[in-house]
Amino acid sequence: MAEFFAVSLHLPTWLAYLLAGLIHCAWILNLVAGGALFFIWLERKVSGRIQDRLGPTRCGGKFGWLQTLADGIKLLTKEDVAPGEADVFLFRIAPYVSFASSFTAFLALPFASGWVAQHVHTGIFFILAILSLEVFGVILAGYSSGSKWSLYGAVREAAQVVSYEVPLKLCIVIPVLLCGTLDLVTIANMQAGWFTNWLVFHDPFTFAAFWVYLTCSLASVNRAPFDLAEAESELVAGFHTEYSGLRWSFFFMAEYGSMFLVSALCAILFLGGWNGPIPVFDLLGWTYGPDEAAFRLTGYLANLASCTNLILKGVAGVTVMIWVRWTLPRLRIDQVMTTCLKYCVPLAAICFVGALIWHLTGVPGLNDLAPVTPSGAAGVRERWVLQAEAAEQHGREQRARMRNER
């Protein structure tokens, strides 16, 4: 986008990059905020159906479309207070720390081939590193509130999130191993074609890792049955008990944003990314080629359909999280930690070792489901490696030229 502004509109380079950055940030902000509005409404309707009731039916028609918007207006007009014993500065910035970490992680999330705010070639590492910072906002909120119940909730969530990051990232390493890259765009493109190319069908160990990832993702975003930080029977609302008004809503925007993020990441890693089960646009020849950069209407429509496909997969993942919340009872904190340390970590480790052996030995039959690229998975090289090799080659040529001149 910045190149388009600089070349087509003849804008200065700094202004082109500034406008591109503002557009990307505005689009992601609307996605996170609008997604939170929709997911809160969806959670109410899904929970209502599971509990054999209607849910919102008054505000915005018989389906209650505007109920979440009305709640948002109420929170905007609600008084923003801080407890007398609170550390006011930390208390006020904690919600923004949580939201900023969830928002920033979206910068490296691709929605289609070439449709990403910032194409980071270590995209998985960037997203996981930034998303892990959300727990600092939780800790600050509990610590600064001046309430032991808020502090208990913050410590619980910190222990839970940090613990479940181990099996979660072990599961993520498996697609990285199979594709040979940390680039999310490359991982998704390697699953192009029919749904049999999706990594979830690569081998039994990757299939099992997909379900372990789903379980750990519930805990990583503090969703039931792992929402011990908000155990109403003992902690009321946990780390955000003392919050009100707009700052209270920022915690929920961060939570729902993280729910969509881990669901979209799951789709990219295991479920073909933006590629559908049937490669309709590939069969029509509408998709962009690997070296094609010029604008083409059919290519734009293909990318738009791919973006919609990924968003639908992310929404489906959030719907499953909501379904699980209103179906399973909340676990005790000792059961939560036992599930992580005694079950999820060993299962994720077994899946990783099994997928490694499967990939190296090349078991006939099921191994045919592996994604195929023109160069093969083993031929994928990260861009920084190629740049380093090119720089080294250039240095060798310069040194040889200097020796010849002498």
Side-chain angles (χ1 to χ4, degrees), residues 188-212:
N189 285 334
M190 291 179 70
Q191 302 176 71
W194 296 86
F195 67 94
T196 52
N197 282 341
W198 294 0
L199 286 177
V200 70
F201 301 119
H202 181 274
D203 58 78
F205 299 102
T206 308
F207 182 79
F210 165 73
W211 296 104
V212 177

Side-chain angles (χ1 to χ4, degrees), residues 353-376:
V353 175
L356 174 62
I357 296 174
W358 191 285
H359 185 65
L360 292 177
T361 57
V363 179
L366 286 178
N367 201 49
D368 296 338
L369 299 178
V372 178
T373 59
S375 59

Side-chain angles (χ1 to χ4, degrees), residues 21-88:
L22 291 175
I23 292 173
H24 290 156
C25 290
W27 193 90
I28 294 174
L29 183 61
N30 282 300
L31 175 68
V32 176
L37 290 175
F38 172 74
F39 292 140
I40 293 173
W41 171 87
L42 181 66
E43 178 144 21
R44 287 171 167 173
K45 299 300 285 188
V46 171
S47 62
R49 294 298 179 181
I50 291 176
Q51 298 173 351
D52 197 20
R53 55 187 178 85
L54 297 178
T57 57
R58 301 294 181 88
C59 188
K62 65 177 182 179
F63 296 107
W65 295 107
L66 300 180
Q67 182 62 55
T68 310
L69 183 61
D71 292 338
I73 296 174
K74 180 191 72 173
L75 292 173
L76 283 172
T77 58
K78 197 171 183 179
E79 184 179 5
D80 182 23
V81 297
E85 300 296 325
D87 185 318
V88 178

